[in-house]
Amino acid sequence: AEFVAFDLELTGLHVKNERFIGVERCYSAHREGARTFLPVQVGLCAARRDPAKSTGTSAHWILSPVSLYVFPQKAAEHHFSVSAATMVFLDENGFNFNNWVRYGLGWLRPSDEEEKRRSVQQRIDEVQRLKRAATATAPSAAAPSEEQPALEIPEGADRAVVDAC
């Protein structure tokens, strides 16, 4: 691609309805909107010239667009703001709200991701601690003892943590 265009649709744009005089004020308003509203769709478009169809004065472009719905990761409870005007705009432009919720790629804000990573690491550390404790208190192979049944861990998140250790 000669260039790539990026587009992000949000649940709103500006928190306050006001005129922006100056670059600083405009930037500040957009930054506040990006912190308040959630992304709902990411669009990318790769563009390159087609030399076979381009002439000396005009270029024929080949565009390869892709659009992805993004929705907050379903494992966490999220509350977010929406702008009614933005929802109407998205609807009028063919945005599929059902697909957004059902099939949107999960994502986390950086602070939520860090919290999730800490939580998973704590679970891994606890499983490793329990494994070490079980090994330390297990009867030796030389000593006769009753056969202990293996601990059954059901499939799912806990099993994945144990298998990773």
Side-chain angles (χ1 to χ4, degrees), residues 60-97:
H60 179 85
W61 291 94
I62 298 173
L63 305 177
S64 301
V66 65
S67 181
L68 305 167
Y69 291 118
V70 291
F71 192 78
Q73 194 172 60
K74 292 165 180 72
E77 177 69 24
H78 285 276
H79 301 270
F80 55 89
S81 297
V82 298
S83 160
T86 299
M87 295 294 106
V88 169
F89 169 82
L90 290 172
D91 182 55
E92 288 173 348
N93 287 279
F95 188 85
N96 187 321
F97 292 93

Side-chain angles (χ1 to χ4, degrees), residues 107-118:
W107 62 275
L108 295 170
R109 291 180 190 249
S111 59
D112 294 335
E113 179 185 5
E114 184 58 36
E115 182 180 324
K116 187 88 151 170
R117 285 181 187 275
R118 272 195 308 273

Side-chain angles (χ1 to χ4, degrees), residues 1 3-7 43-47 62-66:
F3 68 88
V4 176
F6 174 82
D7 180 40
L44 293 170
C45 185
I62 298 173
L63 305 177
S64 301
V66 65

